[in-house]
């Protein structure tokens, strides 16, 4: 009996000791956690004092939960004014991000120091969780395979070189012929079916890059390639806008990205289209190459360089996909914005018509050869790029490859550094009354013209070594199409059943990185019978010229059947 009681006492003592050990371990862990929290927050505050001004961050979460749900570029513009600094620091979790809100500072940091700000920061959502890995080291277990997200290095230079073979500034001049023909068809299609103007813009932009990439045009607005490309690009654009909700909370708490994906089914289910897009673009490139490897097109260039540069399937897919990213969704969105501007600001149209009538006349449409003489049309196009830039926060963020300094403030290596194009293009100093569409801003000796840090007068396509690869293609095609649409039509607000104009909202835009106006109705009225005849004649000729690029894609038909 005594033995049993002794065992019971020993057991109780052991349990008591275990509880004490657990309690002590819990206290130690809590103490270590608190110590880590204090040390880490001290690090944040110390760094905060050295960096450009901005809201004081909270421990761990930074200032993330101060973000608005939508369109944070307005918020960063307001913070810049609040702190009286064109460059501000905003903390996403435990990491600082730098936001540049005026043209002068963007030029000083991202253009004049292009060699420093040539890399990318870590992007958990846009790169890691979408399997667009960022390593520039070809020997890495996660080799970089996308120019857009890749850290700066030799592998990035390879991708950039290959991209220039497709859409470099010198190369795009060779595309003027079919780009002009596709532009003629925009006017032709809208003449016959004005209600579907957005679809015709999308078809035009997608078809141009499809010819460049795969020697096959997109002839119908019902082609599923259009909806797939636009959807993939819009999905990508949604994944890089700072936010306080999922999926962007992965940026605030990167450790969450290591948890089982089954815990976040709503996010990864939505990512299926992004991953499907990678297969889609490879399928397009592979089919074009197999059809005729001797043809001159971007897909054949990719496979030609495959062995030399060790291009795997992900590389070819991303390079082909970036071609669409450089010239489809962005170009069509710019044309929709142009149409909205015409409806909202009809007073700018008569001067455009006067110049076009004087230089071009009514018996043919304008072409690239007229560009040098069409000074007001060129200013009009620049104002479209400025007024509602598609890449509203300047595309993907930059990151310095080494510690840097601006105006006495520190910007550490790897810091997420973003140009807020909205704020840059709506700075009252550079662009008085910035929400008014006013091409006179870009006219030589114009009353509203102001000095600007670069020759173009806008920063729509980004900066430095990370400038948009498709800039030349977009500028060339946008000029052609806007000049032709202004020549062809009086673009006006739609009328209601009582014959009254339906107002348009110049602030009604989508929420993603590549924004475009929400749907709105409008009228396209041909400016003269002679112009109608010219549109018809040139449209028929364009169809004949482009017939060499016609053809069905069996691989793509099969792809969509598999992925219904």
């Amino acid at each position: 009996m005594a033995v049993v009681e002794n065992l019971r006492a020993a057991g109780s003592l052991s349990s008591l000791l275990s509880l004490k050990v657990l309690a002590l371990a819990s206290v130690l862990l809590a103490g270590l956690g608190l110590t880590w929290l204090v040390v880490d927050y001290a690090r944040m505050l110390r760094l905060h004092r050295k960096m450009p001004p901005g809201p004081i961050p909270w421990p761990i979460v930074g200032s993330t939960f101060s973000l608005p749900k939508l369109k944070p570029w307005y918020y960063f513009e307001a913070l810049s004014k609040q702190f009286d600094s064109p460059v501000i620091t905003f903390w996403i979790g435990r990491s600082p991000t730098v936001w540049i809100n005026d043209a002068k500072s963007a030029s000083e940091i991202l253009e004049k120091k292009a060699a420093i700000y040539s890399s990318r920061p870590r992007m958990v959502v846009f790169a890691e969780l979408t399997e667009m890995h960022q390593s520039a080291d070809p020997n890495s277990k996660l080799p970089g395979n996308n120019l857009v997200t890749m850290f700066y290095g030799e592998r990035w230079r390879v991708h950039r070189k290959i991209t220039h073979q497709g859409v470099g500034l010198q190369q795009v001049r060779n595309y003027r012929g079919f780009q002009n023909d596709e532009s003629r068809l925009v006017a032709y299609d809208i003449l016959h079916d004005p209600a579907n103007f957005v679809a015709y813009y999308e078809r035009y932009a997608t078809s141009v890059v499809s010819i460049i990439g795969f020697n096959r045009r997109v002839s119908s607005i019902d082609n599923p390639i259009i909806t797939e490309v636009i959807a993939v690009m819009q999905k990508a654009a949604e994944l890089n806008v700072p936010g306080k909700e999922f999926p962007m909370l992965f940026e605030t708490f990167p450790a969450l990205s290591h948890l089982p994906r089954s815990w976040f089914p709503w996010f990864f289910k939505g990512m299926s289209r992004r991953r499907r897009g990678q297969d889609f673009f490879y399928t397009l490139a592979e089919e074009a190459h197999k059809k005729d490897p001797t043809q001159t097109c971007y897909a054949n260039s990719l496979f030609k360089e495959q062995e030399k540069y060790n291009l795997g399937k992900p590389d070819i897919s991303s390079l082909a996909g970036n071609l669409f990213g450089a010239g489809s969704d962005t170009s069509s969105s710019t044309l929709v914005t142009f149409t909205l501007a015409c409806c909202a600001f009809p007073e700018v149209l008569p001067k455009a018509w006067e110049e076009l009538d004087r230089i071009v006349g009514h018996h043919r449409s304008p072409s690239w050869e007229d560009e040098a003489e069409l000074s007001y049309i060129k200013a009009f196009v620049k104002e479209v790029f400025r007024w509602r830039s598609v890449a509203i926060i300047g595309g993907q963020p930059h990151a310095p490859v080494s510690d840097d300094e601006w105006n006495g403030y520190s910007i550490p290596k790897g810091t997420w550094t973003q140009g807020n194009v909205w704020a840059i293009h709506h700075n009252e100093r550079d662009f008085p009354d910035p929400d008014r569409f006013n091409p006179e801003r870009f006219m030589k000796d114009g009353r509203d013209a102001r000095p600007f840090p670069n020759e173009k007068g806008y920063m729509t396509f980004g900066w430095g070594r990370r400038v948009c690869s498709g800039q030349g293609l977009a500028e060339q095609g946008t000029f052609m199409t806007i000049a032709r649409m202004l020549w062809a039509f009086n673009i006006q607000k739609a009328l209601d059943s009582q014959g009254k104009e339906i107002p348009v909202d110049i602030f009604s835009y989508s929420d993603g990185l590549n924004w475009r106006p929400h749907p709105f109705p409008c009228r396209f009225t041909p400016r003269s019978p002679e112009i109608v005849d010219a549109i018809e004649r040139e449209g028929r000729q364009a169809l004949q010229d482009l017939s060499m690029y016609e053809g069905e894609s069996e691989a793509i038909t099969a792809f969509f059947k598999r992925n219904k």
Side-chain angles (χ1 to χ4, degrees):
M1 200 68 177
V3 172
V4 171
E5 289 178 357
N6 287 337
L7 287 173
R8 286 176 178 172
S12 298
L13 181 61
S14 176
S15 298
L16 184 62
L17 287 173
S18 297
L19 288 172
K20 286 183 176 180
V21 169
L22 286 172
L24 180 60
S26 299
V27 169
L28 286 173
L29 286 174
L32 288 172
L34 182 61
T35 300
W36 174 87
L37 183 65
V38 170
V39 170
D40 185 68
Y41 191 47
R43 172 196 67 84
M44 291 172 66
L45 293 178
R46 185 169 61 252
L47 191 55
H48 177 76
R49 287 194 297 270
K50 294 179 179 180
M51 294 185 69
I56 297 175
W58 290 92
I60 301 177
V61 300
S63 300
T64 298
F65 293 100
S66 299
L67 285 168
K69 285 188 176 181
L70 302 172
K71 298 179 172 68
W73 40 90
Y74 297 145
Y75 177 66
F76 293 126
E77 179 187 35
L79 284 180
S80 179
K81 294 175 180 177
Q82 176 186 331
F83 287 94
D84 193 26
S85 174
V87 181
I88 60 167
T89 301
F90 188 88
W91 287 75
I92 300 293
R94 299 168 54 244
S95 301
T97 63
V98 167
W99 288 82
I100 306 170
N101 295 280
D102 82 335
K104 181 174 179 291
S105 304
S107 178
E108 290 174 350
I109 296 173
L110 300 177
E111 289 181 339
K112 294 180 181 178
K113 295 183 178 181
I116 296 176
Y117 289 86
S118 56
S119 196
R120 295 289 193 222
R122 181 189 181 189
M123 291 184 280
V124 176
V125 176
F126 190 76
E128 296 179 12
L129 294 181
T130 61
E131 300 173 5
M132 289 169 57
H133 305 302
Q134 292 185 276
S135 174
D137 178 7
N139 298 316
S140 168
K141 293 180 180 179
L142 297 175
N145 55 40
N146 198 302
L147 179 73
V148 175
T149 59
M150 206 180 293
F151 295 132
Y152 185 77
E154 183 58 36
R155 193 66 179 167
W156 177 86
R157 285 189 286 272
V158 166
H159 274 239
R160 184 72 168 183
K161 179 180 179 181
I162 295 171
T163 300
H164 280 179
Q165 294 176 11
V167 291
L169 288 175
Q170 299 300 318
Q171 187 65 18
V172 298
R173 295 177 182 176
N174 299 325
Y175 306 148
R176 287 177 182 170
F178 62 75
Q179 195 172 25
N180 191 46
D181 280 330
E182 290 287 9
S183 175
R184 285 173 171 172
L185 288 177
V186 173
Y188 180 82
D189 289 333
I190 290 177
L191 176 67
H192 293 278
D193 182 19
N196 278 321
F197 70 96
V198 173
Y200 292 122
Y201 289 154
E202 292 174 347
R203 187 215 61 79
Y204 151 77
T206 306
S207 190
V208 167
V209 292
S210 183
I211 293 173
I212 294 169
F214 317 110
N215 247 28
R216 181 187 293 111
R217 69 184 298 262
V218 176
S219 58
S220 169
I221 60 174
D222 297 320
N223 192 313
I225 290 178
I226 300 173
T227 52
E228 183 71 15
V229 166
I230 299 297
V232 169
M233 295 308 162
Q234 288 291 323
K235 184 63 182 178
E238 293 171 4
L239 298 178
N240 220 9
V241 178
K244 58 185 176 183
E245 299 178 349
F246 282 105
M248 296 314 295
L249 271 185
F250 284 115
E251 298 290 350
T252 301
F253 307 111
L256 293 178
S257 65
H258 300 294
L259 295 175
R261 295 193 171 194
S262 59
W263 291 17
F264 307 99
W266 65 90
F267 170 65
F268 289 103
K269 183 178 180 181
M271 284 309 302
S272 61
R273 188 148 206 168
R274 182 74 185 277
R275 289 190 291 272
R276 188 175 91 168
Q278 296 171 8
D279 293 334
F280 171 76
F281 294 125
Y282 183 81
T283 300
L284 282 173
E286 183 181 43
E287 182 185 42
H289 179 63
K290 286 181 178 178
K291 181 180 178 182
D292 186 351
T294 65
Q295 282 186 328
T296 301
C297 66
Y298 188 53
N300 282 339
S301 295
L302 296 179
F303 284 98
K304 181 180 178 181
E305 305 286 11
Q306 185 173 21
E307 185 176 349
K308 179 179 179 181
Y309 294 114
N310 191 28
L311 300 178
K313 181 177 177 179
D315 297 282
I316 292 173
S317 172
S318 71
L319 287 162
N322 290 343
L323 177 68
F324 280 97
S328 57
D329 177 38
T330 50
S331 292
S332 59
S333 295
T334 299
L335 294 173
V336 180
T337 280
F338 151 73
T339 306
L340 177 66
C342 291
C343 292
F345 301 91
E347 66 275 9
V348 303
L349 298 178
K351 190 167 183 178
W353 297 332
E354 185 280 326
E355 183 176 77
L356 287 162
D357 291 348
R358 177 167 41 86
I359 303 299
V360 179
H362 285 206
H363 296 282
R364 69 169 179 89
S365 67
S367 66
W368 186 259
E369 286 69 27
D370 299 309
E371 189 254 0
E373 296 184 81
L374 296 175
S375 57
Y376 187 76
I377 303 303
K378 286 192 290 186
F380 202 110
V381 173
K382 287 185 175 185
E383 180 69 342
V384 171
F385 284 136
R386 192 279 317 172
W387 182 63
R388 295 288 186 267
S389 305
V390 175
I392 200 62
I393 52 175
Q396 308 306 317
H398 293 236
V401 295
S402 60
D403 292 345
D404 190 39
E405 182 178 293
W406 171 83
N407 205 25
Y409 295 109
S410 296
I411 301 179
K413 175 183 178 180
T415 299
W416 184 303
T417 307
Q418 193 98 39
N420 184 356
V421 175
W422 169 264
I424 289 169
H425 284 170
H426 287 75
N427 187 303
E428 291 273 0
R429 181 194 64 218
D430 298 327
F431 304 104
D433 194 6
D435 284 313
R436 183 166 66 93
F437 186 88
N438 178 17
E440 298 288 342
R441 305 180 198 277
F442 294 97
M443 294 294 288
K444 186 178 181 181
D445 302 323
R447 182 184 63 184
D448 296 320
R450 297 290 186 275
F452 200 76
N454 67 31
E455 185 179 347
K456 289 183 180 294
Y458 54 81
M459 294 181 167
T460 305
F461 295 95
W463 304 268
R465 297 181 183 180
R466 293 285 185 165
V467 70
C468 174
S469 301
Q471 177 175 352
L473 182 69
E475 289 176 329
Q476 180 173 282
T478 302
F479 170 81
M480 288 179 182
T481 306
I482 287 179
R484 180 165 285 110
M485 294 299 291
L486 288 171
W487 165 84
F489 301 106
N490 181 7
I491 303 173
Q492 303 165 279
K493 299 182 183 74
L495 302 178
D496 64 18
S497 58
Q498 279 76 44
K500 295 181 180 179
E501 289 187 335
I502 300 172
V504 293
D505 185 352
I506 63 172
F507 294 98
S508 181
Y509 270 70
S510 60
D511 302 316
L513 174 66
N514 290 345
W515 71 340
R516 65 161 60 191
H518 287 130
F520 61 95
C522 67
R523 286 181 289 159
F524 294 84
T525 306
R527 293 180 52 234
S528 75
E530 293 80 11
I531 283 176
V532 171
D533 290 342
I535 293 172
E536 295 275 13
R537 183 182 67 255
E538 292 183 358
R540 291 191 295 269
Q541 184 63 52
L543 285 171
Q544 185 176 329
D545 294 342
L546 292 167
S547 62
M548 62 186 295
Y549 302 112
E550 294 288 355
E552 295 297 322
S553 170
E554 295 179 5
I556 293 304
T557 299
F559 177 89
F560 284 113
K561 283 183 178 178
R562 290 195 307 270
N563 289 280
K564 279 186 177 181

